Amino acid sequence: EVKSGKFIGWDDPRTWSVQSLKRRGFLAESIREFVESIGLNEKDIIVPIESLYAINRKLIDEKADRYSFLQEPVKLNISHNVKEIEVKVHPEKAKTRKIEVNELYISGKDFENFKGKEVRLMHLFNIKLGKKQEITGTENKEIPRINWISDFVNARILMPNASWISGIAEIAVEKLKINDIIQFERFGFVRFDNINEAGEYEFWFAHR
């Protein structure tokens, strides 16, 4: 498949090579720990890939800053007086970043799944979704919490089966460096790979 051009190279996510794992955002320490946990065995085995995910998650979770990515974004028809908010870059870090709040977008999936219900826009306020959206308060209640984006860049994510998922990412990803590993909240961990010719920010999916 590599020689024929079906795969983009040895780092194609479908090869499951060390090169592909590295490009997806797996640390060398994770692969080493995973291999040592399996040990040497001459018998055929089924590789417990979820174990590799768990090991890598343990090592990158404390370092990966949080951002938002939305598929099939839907613009909310809502007026508000919030100009800017300040949120933590990571639940366990003191560092924060400011987010300007202008127009609001949520994912098409969330819009359909929670239509007619009250949800909380994370770090912002509560709204009721429907043909008309309305703010219902700022109390942090026990209701579904969903991602939102205001200013954005176009982005897409390469999945392990080599399919692309397109959408938008919050504009703060403009400050990322190639190879940075982050977490798109409610989506999963990804590695920033490049900006393509169309100006889209490309990420490779690691795991949830």
PDB file of all heavy atoms in Angstrom, residues 131-152:
ATOM      1  N   LYS A 131     -35.836  26.905  17.763  1.00  0.00           N
ATOM      2  CA  LYS A 131     -35.885  27.823  16.626  1.00  0.00           C
ATOM      3  C   LYS A 131     -35.351  29.187  17.040  1.00  0.00           C
ATOM      4  O   LYS A 131     -34.699  29.889  16.273  1.00  0.00           O
ATOM      5  CB  LYS A 131     -37.318  27.940  16.115  1.00  0.00           C
ATOM      6  CG  LYS A 131     -37.826  26.676  15.423  1.00  0.00           C
ATOM      7  CD  LYS A 131     -39.215  26.892  14.854  1.00  0.00           C
ATOM      8  CE  LYS A 131     -39.691  25.641  14.127  1.00  0.00           C
ATOM      9  NZ  LYS A 131     -41.062  25.814  13.569  1.00  0.00           N
ATOM     10  N   LYS A 132     -35.664  29.556  18.274  1.00  0.00           N
ATOM     11  CA  LYS A 132     -35.100  30.760  18.863  1.00  0.00           C
ATOM     12  C   LYS A 132     -34.291  30.343  20.072  1.00  0.00           C
ATOM     13  O   LYS A 132     -34.722  29.520  20.861  1.00  0.00           O
ATOM     14  CB  LYS A 132     -36.198  31.743  19.273  1.00  0.00           C
ATOM     15  CG  LYS A 132     -36.962  32.359  18.112  1.00  0.00           C
ATOM     16  CD  LYS A 132     -37.956  33.387  18.606  1.00  0.00           C
ATOM     17  CE  LYS A 132     -38.696  34.046  17.445  1.00  0.00           C
ATOM     18  NZ  LYS A 132     -39.672  35.061  17.918  1.00  0.00           N
ATOM     19  N   GLN A 133     -33.105  30.916  20.201  1.00  0.00           N
ATOM     20  CA  GLN A 133     -32.283  30.604  21.365  1.00  0.00           C
ATOM     21  C   GLN A 133     -32.373  31.754  22.356  1.00  0.00           C
ATOM     22  O   GLN A 133     -32.434  32.908  21.967  1.00  0.00           O
ATOM     23  CB  GLN A 133     -30.821  30.388  20.953  1.00  0.00           C
ATOM     24  CG  GLN A 133     -30.612  29.201  20.023  1.00  0.00           C
ATOM     25  CD  GLN A 133     -30.723  29.569  18.565  1.00  0.00           C
ATOM     26  OE1 GLN A 133     -30.089  30.501  18.095  1.00  0.00           O
ATOM     27  NE2 GLN A 133     -31.529  28.824  17.808  1.00  0.00           N
ATOM     28  N   GLU A 134     -32.374  31.396  23.625  1.00  0.00           N
ATOM     29  CA  GLU A 134     -32.455  32.426  24.654  1.00  0.00           C
ATOM     30  C   GLU A 134     -31.560  32.082  25.826  1.00  0.00           C
ATOM     31  O   GLU A 134     -31.376  30.915  26.171  1.00  0.00           O
ATOM     32  CB  GLU A 134     -33.895  32.592  25.151  1.00  0.00           C
ATOM     33  CG  GLU A 134     -34.518  31.314  25.703  1.00  0.00           C
ATOM     34  CD  GLU A 134     -35.942  31.528  26.175  1.00  0.00           C
ATOM     35  OE1 GLU A 134     -36.220  32.625  26.701  1.00  0.00           O
ATOM     36  OE2 GLU A 134     -36.758  30.602  26.045  1.00  0.00           O
ATOM     37  N   ILE A 135     -30.978  33.105  26.422  1.00  0.00           N
ATOM     38  CA  ILE A 135     -30.149  32.914  27.609  1.00  0.00           C
ATOM     39  C   ILE A 135     -31.059  32.677  28.803  1.00  0.00           C
ATOM     40  O   ILE A 135     -32.035  33.407  29.005  1.00  0.00           O
ATOM     41  CB  ILE A 135     -29.260  34.154  27.852  1.00  0.00           C
ATOM     42  CG1 ILE A 135     -28.295  34.349  26.680  1.00  0.00           C
ATOM     43  CG2 ILE A 135     -28.476  34.007  29.157  1.00  0.00           C
ATOM     44  CD1 ILE A 135     -27.463  35.609  26.770  1.00  0.00           C
ATOM     45  N   THR A 136     -30.750  31.642  29.575  1.00  0.00           N
ATOM     46  CA  THR A 136     -31.594  31.303  30.723  1.00  0.00           C
ATOM     47  C   THR A 136     -30.926  31.593  32.059  1.00  0.00           C
ATOM     48  O   THR A 136     -31.537  31.405  33.106  1.00  0.00           O
ATOM     49  CB  THR A 136     -31.983  29.811  30.667  1.00  0.00           C
ATOM     50  OG1 THR A 136     -30.787  29.014  30.613  1.00  0.00           O
ATOM     51  CG2 THR A 136     -32.843  29.522  29.445  1.00  0.00           C
ATOM     52  N   GLY A 137     -29.670  32.026  32.047  1.00  0.00           N
ATOM     53  CA  GLY A 137     -28.989  32.355  33.288  1.00  0.00           C
ATOM     54  C   GLY A 137     -27.517  32.028  33.242  1.00  0.00           C
ATOM     55  O   GLY A 137     -27.002  31.532  32.246  1.00  0.00           O
ATOM     56  N   THR A 138     -26.855  32.307  34.344  1.00  0.00           N
ATOM     57  CA  THR A 138     -25.414  32.048  34.436  1.00  0.00           C
ATOM     58  C   THR A 138     -25.067  31.010  35.494  1.00  0.00           C
ATOM     59  O   THR A 138     -23.910  30.650  35.668  1.00  0.00           O
ATOM     60  CB  THR A 138     -24.664  33.356  34.769  1.00  0.00           C
ATOM     61  OG1 THR A 138     -25.175  33.894  35.992  1.00  0.00           O
ATOM     62  CG2 THR A 138     -24.843  34.373  33.661  1.00  0.00           C
ATOM     63  N   GLU A 139     -26.081  30.525  36.211  1.00  0.00           N
ATOM     64  CA  GLU A 139     -25.847  29.543  37.267  1.00  0.00           C
ATOM     65  C   GLU A 139     -25.279  28.263  36.679  1.00  0.00           C
ATOM     66  O   GLU A 139     -25.774  27.744  35.670  1.00  0.00           O
ATOM     67  CB  GLU A 139     -27.158  29.241  37.996  1.00  0.00           C
ATOM     68  CG  GLU A 139     -27.014  28.229  39.124  1.00  0.00           C
ATOM     69  CD  GLU A 139     -28.364  27.858  39.735  1.00  0.00           C
ATOM     70  OE1 GLU A 139     -29.397  28.423  39.299  1.00  0.00           O
ATOM     71  OE2 GLU A 139     -28.382  27.001  40.626  1.00  0.00           O
ATOM     72  N   ASN A 140     -24.236  27.738  37.309  1.00  0.00           N
ATOM     73  CA  ASN A 140     -23.595  26.513  36.833  1.00  0.00           C
ATOM     74  C   ASN A 140     -24.402  25.306  37.305  1.00  0.00           C
ATOM     75  O   ASN A 140     -24.064  24.648  38.272  1.00  0.00           O
ATOM     76  CB  ASN A 140     -22.160  26.443  37.353  1.00  0.00           C
ATOM     77  CG  ASN A 140     -21.333  25.421  36.604  1.00  0.00           C
ATOM     78  OD1 ASN A 140     -21.826  24.702  35.739  1.00  0.00           O
ATOM     79  ND2 ASN A 140     -20.061  25.342  36.945  1.00  0.00           N
ATOM     80  N   LYS A 141     -25.465  24.996  36.586  1.00  0.00           N
ATOM     81  CA  LYS A 141     -26.394  23.941  36.978  1.00  0.00           C
ATOM     82  C   LYS A 141     -25.980  22.584  36.414  1.00  0.00           C
ATOM     83  O   LYS A 141     -25.094  22.487  35.568  1.00  0.00           O
ATOM     84  CB  LYS A 141     -27.806  24.291  36.499  1.00  0.00           C
ATOM     85  CG  LYS A 141     -28.347  25.592  37.071  1.00  0.00           C
ATOM     86  CD  LYS A 141     -29.840  25.764  36.767  1.00  0.00           C
ATOM     87  CE  LYS A 141     -30.089  26.014  35.309  1.00  0.00           C
ATOM     88  NZ  LYS A 141     -31.514  26.338  35.027  1.00  0.00           N
ATOM     89  N   GLU A 142     -26.651  21.550  36.900  1.00  0.00           N
ATOM     90  CA  GLU A 142     -26.402  20.194  36.417  1.00  0.00           C
ATOM     91  C   GLU A 142     -27.172  19.967  35.119  1.00  0.00           C
ATOM     92  O   GLU A 142     -28.197  19.281  35.076  1.00  0.00           O
ATOM     93  CB  GLU A 142     -26.792  19.162  37.480  1.00  0.00           C
ATOM     94  CG  GLU A 142     -25.885  19.132  38.695  1.00  0.00           C
ATOM     95  CD  GLU A 142     -24.449  18.778  38.334  1.00  0.00           C
ATOM     96  OE1 GLU A 142     -24.261  17.880  37.489  1.00  0.00           O
ATOM     97  OE2 GLU A 142     -23.525  19.402  38.883  1.00  0.00           O
ATOM     98  N   ILE A 143     -26.691  20.571  34.061  1.00  0.00           N
ATOM     99  CA  ILE A 143     -27.272  20.407  32.739  1.00  0.00           C
ATOM    100  C   ILE A 143     -26.138  20.096  31.766  1.00  0.00           C
ATOM    101  O   ILE A 143     -24.963  20.284  32.100  1.00  0.00           O
ATOM    102  CB  ILE A 143     -28.024  21.693  32.286  1.00  0.00           C
ATOM    103  CG1 ILE A 143     -27.114  22.924  32.415  1.00  0.00           C
ATOM    104  CG2 ILE A 143     -29.303  21.888  33.094  1.00  0.00           C
ATOM    105  CD1 ILE A 143     -27.763  24.221  31.944  1.00  0.00           C
ATOM    106  N   PRO A 144     -26.456  19.576  30.577  1.00  0.00           N
ATOM    107  CA  PRO A 144     -25.381  19.248  29.626  1.00  0.00           C
ATOM    108  C   PRO A 144     -24.500  20.453  29.344  1.00  0.00           C
ATOM    109  O   PRO A 144     -24.988  21.579  29.182  1.00  0.00           O
ATOM    110  CB  PRO A 144     -26.158  18.814  28.373  1.00  0.00           C
ATOM    111  CG  PRO A 144     -27.469  18.320  28.888  1.00  0.00           C
ATOM    112  CD  PRO A 144     -27.787  19.193  30.068  1.00  0.00           C
ATOM    113  N   ARG A 145     -23.199  20.213  29.282  1.00  0.00           N
ATOM    114  CA  ARG A 145     -22.225  21.258  28.964  1.00  0.00           C
ATOM    115  C   ARG A 145     -21.695  21.021  27.553  1.00  0.00           C
ATOM    116  O   ARG A 145     -21.237  19.913  27.252  1.00  0.00           O
ATOM    117  CB  ARG A 145     -21.072  21.240  29.970  1.00  0.00           C
ATOM    118  CG  ARG A 145     -21.482  21.674  31.374  1.00  0.00           C
ATOM    119  CD  ARG A 145     -20.416  21.314  32.398  1.00  0.00           C
ATOM    120  NE  ARG A 145     -20.678  21.912  33.688  1.00  0.00           N
ATOM    121  CZ  ARG A 145     -21.603  21.484  34.541  1.00  0.00           C
ATOM    122  NH1 ARG A 145     -22.362  20.438  34.225  1.00  0.00           N
ATOM    123  NH2 ARG A 145     -21.781  22.084  35.701  1.00  0.00           N
ATOM    124  N   ILE A 146     -21.768  22.030  26.719  1.00  0.00           N
ATOM    125  CA  ILE A 146     -21.331  21.866  25.344  1.00  0.00           C
ATOM    126  C   ILE A 146     -20.305  22.932  24.962  1.00  0.00           C
ATOM    127  O   ILE A 146     -20.239  23.990  25.558  1.00  0.00           O
ATOM    128  CB  ILE A 146     -22.521  21.903  24.356  1.00  0.00           C
ATOM    129  CG1 ILE A 146     -23.183  23.289  24.344  1.00  0.00           C
ATOM    130  CG2 ILE A 146     -23.544  20.829  24.701  1.00  0.00           C
ATOM    131  CD1 ILE A 146     -24.245  23.441  23.272  1.00  0.00           C
ATOM    132  N   ASN A 147     -19.517  22.596  23.948  1.00  0.00           N
ATOM    133  CA  ASN A 147     -18.493  23.521  23.448  1.00  0.00           C
ATOM    134  C   ASN A 147     -19.126  24.600  22.579  1.00  0.00           C
ATOM    135  O   ASN A 147     -20.178  24.399  21.987  1.00  0.00           O
ATOM    136  CB  ASN A 147     -17.469  22.774  22.598  1.00  0.00           C
ATOM    137  CG  ASN A 147     -16.835  21.623  23.311  1.00  0.00           C
ATOM    138  OD1 ASN A 147     -17.487  20.617  23.551  1.00  0.00           O
ATOM    139  ND2 ASN A 147     -15.570  21.742  23.628  1.00  0.00           N
ATOM    140  N   TRP A 148     -18.438  25.696  22.502  1.00  0.00           N
ATOM    141  CA  TRP A 148     -18.844  26.778  21.617  1.00  0.00           C
ATOM    142  C   TRP A 148     -17.588  27.457  21.109  1.00  0.00           C
ATOM    143  O   TRP A 148     -16.513  27.340  21.704  1.00  0.00           O
ATOM    144  CB  TRP A 148     -19.739  27.797  22.345  1.00  0.00           C
ATOM    145  CG  TRP A 148     -19.070  28.392  23.563  1.00  0.00           C
ATOM    146  CD1 TRP A 148     -19.062  27.856  24.816  1.00  0.00           C
ATOM    147  CD2 TRP A 148     -18.275  29.586  23.627  1.00  0.00           C
ATOM    148  NE1 TRP A 148     -18.314  28.650  25.672  1.00  0.00           N
ATOM    149  CE2 TRP A 148     -17.827  29.722  24.970  1.00  0.00           C
ATOM    150  CE3 TRP A 148     -17.915  30.561  22.694  1.00  0.00           C
ATOM    151  CZ2 TRP A 148     -17.029  30.791  25.381  1.00  0.00           C
ATOM    152  CZ3 TRP A 148     -17.120  31.624  23.111  1.00  0.00           C
ATOM    153  CH2 TRP A 148     -16.698  31.729  24.449  1.00  0.00           C
ATOM    154  N   ILE A 149     -17.723  28.159  20.018  1.00  0.00           N
ATOM    155  CA  ILE A 149     -16.603  28.911  19.448  1.00  0.00           C
ATOM    156  C   ILE A 149     -17.132  30.254  18.983  1.00  0.00           C
ATOM    157  O   ILE A 149     -18.252  30.352  18.474  1.00  0.00           O
ATOM    158  CB  ILE A 149     -15.966  28.141  18.276  1.00  0.00           C
ATOM    159  CG1 ILE A 149     -15.168  26.930  18.793  1.00  0.00           C
ATOM    160  CG2 ILE A 149     -15.042  29.048  17.458  1.00  0.00           C
ATOM    161  CD1 ILE A 149     -14.567  26.074  17.690  1.00  0.00           C
ATOM    162  N   SER A 150     -16.315  31.284  19.166  1.00  0.00           N
ATOM    163  CA  SER A 150     -16.657  32.603  18.643  1.00  0.00           C
ATOM    164  C   SER A 150     -15.785  32.857  17.409  1.00  0.00           C
ATOM    165  O   SER A 150     -16.143  32.474  16.316  1.00  0.00           O
ATOM    166  CB  SER A 150     -16.456  33.685  19.708  1.00  0.00           C
ATOM    167  OG  SER A 150     -16.920  34.929  19.241  1.00  0.00           O
ATOM    168  N   ASP A 151     -14.641  33.466  17.573  1.00  0.00           N
ATOM    169  CA  ASP A 151     -13.727  33.652  16.440  1.00  0.00           C
ATOM    170  C   ASP A 151     -13.029  32.326  16.143  1.00  0.00           C
ATOM    171  O   ASP A 151     -12.654  31.597  17.068  1.00  0.00           O
ATOM    172  CB  ASP A 151     -12.698  34.729  16.762  1.00  0.00           C
ATOM    173  CG  ASP A 151     -13.360  36.087  16.989  1.00  0.00           C
ATOM    174  OD1 ASP A 151     -14.362  36.373  16.313  1.00  0.00           O
ATOM    175  OD2 ASP A 151     -12.888  36.843  17.861  1.00  0.00           O
ATOM    176  N   PHE A 152     -12.846  32.026  14.867  1.00  0.00           N
ATOM    177  CA  PHE A 152     -12.365  30.687  14.519  1.00  0.00           C
ATOM    178  C   PHE A 152     -11.468  30.671  13.287  1.00  0.00           C
ATOM    179  O   PHE A 152     -11.361  31.646  12.549  1.00  0.00           O
ATOM    180  CB  PHE A 152     -13.557  29.758  14.275  1.00  0.00           C
ATOM    181  CG  PHE A 152     -14.420  30.156  13.102  1.00  0.00           C
ATOM    182  CD1 PHE A 152     -14.118  29.736  11.814  1.00  0.00           C
ATOM    183  CD2 PHE A 152     -15.537  30.971  13.277  1.00  0.00           C
ATOM    184  CE1 PHE A 152     -14.900  30.096  10.726  1.00  0.00           C
ATOM    185  CE2 PHE A 152     -16.329  31.346  12.195  1.00  0.00           C
ATOM    186  CZ  PHE A 152     -16.009  30.912  10.915  1.00  0.00           C
TER     187      PHE A 152
END
